[in-house]
Amino acid sequence: MIRGVARDESTTQVIDLFENHQREILTYLYRLLRDHEAARDLAQETFLRVFRARGQLGQIENPRAWLYRIATNLALTNLKRRQRWTWLPWSGTDESRARAETHDQAYTTSAVEEALTKLPAHYRAPLLLYEHYGLNVAELAQVLNLSESAVKLRLFRAREMFRAVYGEKEEK
Amino acid sequence: MKHEQLALQLAVYRDLSGAERAQVDAHLRECAECAARLHAYQTLGRELARLPELPFDPQLRERFYSATGANGRRATGPAGASLGPVLGWMQQLAGAAVVVLVIVATWALFQALGYTNVGGNLPTLTALRTPAATVALPGDTNVGGNPPTLTAPLAPAATVPLAGNSQFTLRISGTKGTRFAGTCTSQVSQPGSEGYAQGIKPQGIVSAENSPLEFHVIGTTVYCAITRESVQGKLQVQLFKDDVQVDSSQTTEAQDSATVSYGQVATVTPPPAVARPSPTFVKPSAQFAQDANFNNRIALSGYSLSALQIKAGETLTVTLNWQALAKSDKSYTVFLHLFDRDSRLVAQQDGLPSNGRRATTTWAAGEYVVDAHALSVPSNIAPGEYRIAVGWYPAGDPSPARLPVLDTVGSNVGDSVILNRTITVEPASPLKTFTSSIYGITFDYPATWQPVQGARDYYGGSDGFFQLTPLGADELTPEQACNEGSYSKLPAAARPTLELLTIQKQTACLILQPKQMSSQSGLVISYPHPITIDGKTYASLALWVDVDHAREVAQTLRFIEWAAPTTPTRTP
């Protein structure tokens, strides 16, 4: 039976992860995809993947970094797939775009956000994870499946791109 | 320390160890450029850190708990659930040799739904009926390692109005009335409401304990999975509305003693969300003027042709402008016949208006309907002039009595109309055969096309192209590609024509974009078995082709003999 099964410890852990991180994962995915519906779908898939693998949770040192790893991989795959299908009127992209636009009206788009959208997603991801979500280099290496030196190089390039599109600002 | 090395350190200044930071700081005191760079990084970093989070999303929460069956921290009631059966099935699905029984409940039953939604009315569920002896699960379908296929063609029968936001349910029952089935239960929302155009969202599993069947809704497809090693017996697919069987005549049965094996999946395409365009009572423009009266029911008011010269093997789009002279309670099928100079029929195309989206029963008296048909010109016909005849016969009538054509005084002058422009068919292009052991397929393409430098699996010429893209199990299935709901938000003129095909027992979807939009098409086809390329597994293949060559390529596509799964490597 589906109902009435006592919640095991790993399920409780997944629920805690979901409750504590759903908002940041959703926002992170939205900033990578700029599509609210797709961000919601992938956020759901991120947590479902964790749920499916909840038996391994005990062996995961840093579940938050693991969440970001799953979310990042899903987002980058999604973006690649979108490129492939750009010429096809596929899959409600117009709708999701319309929804995103509606959503954006309630979500103030700052110049920083604008500049971020101009970065390729594989540079946007590490920059956001480092500066906004506070992950360190070791965690980023785990999330992006890169060596730490490769992470430093990626971050350096991302910062330079961001500087170029956003413009340097004097600290107030 | 060199600038280059330092730049990398500045990028992660926050994470530097004490010794590293001291070294960097020493350099910064002497290098204004590096100090300015760090200053800029830190300023921008603070801006990024201040970015706001999105608000909590109640839909995400609802979907997560619904899909897992778990109860949230703030939820009330008994906690817990297991997703084991779902996961097992999904892993199987993603895995490999599983795939796919297809109950070709190709939701023909729901095709009518698009236009029963007219004017914002509630959706109407078109019920099922079993055409005699059409459901079979042949014992030899598993020969050669192909997945067995259960074909259950379901024909439209009575219509049953659904209450707003009601549910529809598909059940599979065992012999002797034993219900070994779970149920597919899915929300049908009103048009325009959140989620309607999205298709059906996961509702979790509803199944009896120890049921060998599970039903899941993923994306826009309802999947029914067999979860035990095998189930022997009569398979019935029944349609329920709000837990009451709609009509006992709507049961579809497999033959006795059918064996349904573990891992088989039934797919049902959900109702397309098609918004009804406002009826137009203004005569639409047409490339060619021609009037004809079909028994005072339907009038031809003009037509357009995608080309007046076409190569053998290509497809001609014939757009017919109709006007309903009276409200019809009967559905009629349009036919187009292509005749050579000697009045020999060389090709034909029959179909409901607008690919089934505008059955004549939905036409208002006086309304104009623009109706496009794709007429395939055979590749083996002689060059020359050809004529096109059009007419109507009652839909589903095995011995159709065509609608007579009346002249201005009401006399019967025939049962079809010859369009007043002929088309010129030119010789077909010589073909070459493309064979790929990596993709496991072969098909014909124009011999003049060459590989496009710098692009992988891409051939093209002055008159067209093809490109291949393998698709993972979680990417795009033919059923998803052929779901009209996916395109419902596009303007009518931009919507592709969708055709669900079977090629070598595999489901395929041909997506033909309107010529005025992009002249490109896609053929999405499931593999008999997932393939592995460079270590990654793919369940389907997308073949992108220009519209003029799409059918030609699709008609010649074959899977080459399947070797045991290996890991082929691309040749450079």
Side-chain angles (χ1 to χ4, degrees), chain A residues 23 31 41 132 160 171, chain B residues 41 46 52-54 63:
Chain A
R23 195 173 164 195
R31 289 208 167 98
D41 285 344
H132 184 75
E160 287 301 308
E171 192 175 4
Chain B
Y41 285 173
R46 278 191 286 276
E53 297 293 293
L54 293 178
R63 282 164 51 173

Side-chain angles (χ1 to χ4, degrees), chain B residues 479-503:
Chain B
E479 291 83 359
Q480 287 169 339
C482 261
N483 177 13
E484 290 192 9
S486 302
Y487 312 92
S488 62
K489 293 288 177 182
L490 293 173
R495 279 182 210 146
T497 303
L498 305 172
E499 294 178 20
L500 199 60
L501 311 171
T502 301
I503 298 175

Side-chain angles (χ1 to χ4, degrees), chain B residues 316-338:
Chain B
L316 179 74
T317 302
V318 182
T319 304
L320 302 162
N321 294 358
W322 305 111
Q323 186 184 22
L325 297 178
K327 174 84 179 133
S328 176
D329 56 359
K330 206 166 185 179
S331 180
Y332 289 91
T333 297
V334 186
F335 65 85
L336 291 89
H337 290 171
L338 186 65

Side-chain angles (χ1 to χ4, degrees), chain B residues 121-364:
Chain B
N121 291 333
L122 298 172
T124 298
L125 189 58
T126 303
L128 309 180
R129 185 175 54 196
T130 313
T134 52
V135 180
L137 187 62
D140 62 355
T141 49
N142 212 8
V143 172
N146 289 330
T149 300
L150 174 65
T151 308
L154 302 169
T159 58
V160 180
L162 284 178
N165 298 321
S166 65
Q167 295 184 323
F168 70 83
T169 298
L170 197 70
R171 281 185 182 162
I172 298 184
S173 302
T175 43
K176 300 172 188 171
T178 312
R179 185 190 298 176
F180 59 65
T183 55
C184 291
T185 302
S186 296
Q187 197 76 17
V188 178
S189 306
Q190 290 200 44
S193 68
E194 180 86 1
Y196 182 81
Q198 297 293 312
I200 299 154
K201 294 299 178 187
Q203 296 290 310
I205 314 162
V206 182
S207 61
E209 191 169 10
N210 297 324
S211 165
L213 298 179
E214 285 174 4
F215 296 76
H216 309 283
V217 185
I218 297 175
T220 55
T221 303
V222 179
Y223 293 91
C224 303
I226 313 296
T227 59
R228 288 229 206 100
E229 284 185 5
S230 70
V231 176
Q232 192 151 38
K234 187 183 288 185
L235 196 68
Q236 297 181 324
V237 181
Q238 300 164 316
L239 191 67
F240 282 70
K241 172 182 169 282
D242 296 337
D243 212 34
V244 176
Q245 190 174 357
V246 173
D247 182 339
S248 59
S249 69
Q250 295 156 17
T251 298
T252 293
E253 295 184 354
Q255 67 183 22
D256 284 339
S257 300
T259 299
V260 183
S261 297
Y262 180 80
Q264 292 178 337
V265 179
T267 61
V268 178
T269 306
V274 180
R276 184 207 180 183
S278 302
T280 177
F281 297 95
V282 178
K283 186 176 177 179
S285 61
Q287 189 181 8
F288 304 110
Q290 186 165 358
D291 294 321
N293 177 347
F294 291 87
N295 206 29
N296 292 325
R297 287 176 180 271
I298 299 164
L300 178 71
S301 71
Y303 68 96
S304 304
L305 301 173
S306 59
L308 290 173
Q309 289 189 320
I310 190 168
K311 284 185 178 152
E314 294 184 348
T315 299
L316 179 74
T317 302
V318 182
T319 304
L320 302 162
N321 294 358
W322 305 111
Q323 186 184 22
L325 297 178
K327 174 84 179 133
S328 176
D329 56 359
K330 206 166 185 179
S331 180
Y332 289 91
T333 297
V334 186
F335 65 85
L336 291 89
H337 290 171
L338 186 65
F339 291 105
D340 66 10
R341 278 179 181 274
D342 300 323
S343 297
R344 284 185 298 235
L345 178 67
V346 296
Q348 75 178 76
Q349 199 276 336
D350 295 28
L352 293 174
S354 300
N355 205 23
R357 295 192 302 273
R358 291 305 316 265
T360 50
T361 49
T362 69
W363 295 11

Side-chain angles (χ1 to χ4, degrees), chain B residues 277-477:
Chain B
S278 302
T280 177
F281 297 95
V282 178
K283 186 176 177 179
S285 61
Q287 189 181 8
F288 304 110
Q290 186 165 358
D291 294 321
N293 177 347
F294 291 87
N295 206 29
N296 292 325
R297 287 176 180 271
I298 299 164
L300 178 71
S301 71
Y303 68 96
S304 304
L305 301 173
S306 59
L308 290 173
Q309 289 189 320
I310 190 168
K311 284 185 178 152
E314 294 184 348
T315 299
L316 179 74
T317 302
V318 182
T319 304
L320 302 162
N321 294 358
W322 305 111
Q323 186 184 22
L325 297 178
K327 174 84 179 133
S328 176
D329 56 359
K330 206 166 185 179
S331 180
Y332 289 91
T333 297
V334 186
F335 65 85
L336 291 89
H337 290 171
L338 186 65
F339 291 105
D340 66 10
R341 278 179 181 274
D342 300 323
S343 297
R344 284 185 298 235
L345 178 67
V346 296
Q348 75 178 76
Q349 199 276 336
D350 295 28
L352 293 174
S354 300
N355 205 23
R357 295 192 302 273
R358 291 305 316 265
T360 50
T361 49
T362 69
W363 295 11
E367 179 184 0
Y368 285 94
V369 175
V370 177
D371 171 32
H373 293 264
L375 181 63
S376 294
V377 177
S379 55
N380 58 353
I381 62 172
E385 296 288 309
Y386 287 80
R387 295 169 300 146
I388 300 164
V390 300
W392 294 87
Y393 62 86
D397 190 334
S399 55
R402 296 176 182 174
L403 282 182
V405 181
L406 307 180
D407 65 12
T408 51
V409 294
S411 301
N412 183 339
V413 292
D415 59 8
S416 66
V417 169
I418 303 285
L419 298 185
N420 54 18
R421 295 298 297 259
T422 57
I423 61 162
T424 304
V425 175
E426 299 172 335
S429 308
L431 300 176
K432 260 190 199 170
T433 299
F434 175 86
T435 303
S436 167
S437 59
I438 292 176
Y439 294 118
I441 51 156
T442 173
F443 57 82
D444 294 343
Y445 67 99
T448 53
W449 293 1
Q450 297 295 324
V452 175
Q453 292 299 319
R456 185 187 261 189
D457 310 317
Y458 185 16
Y459 282 60
S462 59
D463 59 339
F465 76 96
F466 75 80
Q467 185 170 21
L468 293 159
T469 310
L471 301 169
D474 58 348
E475 293 194 278
L476 179 66
T477 65

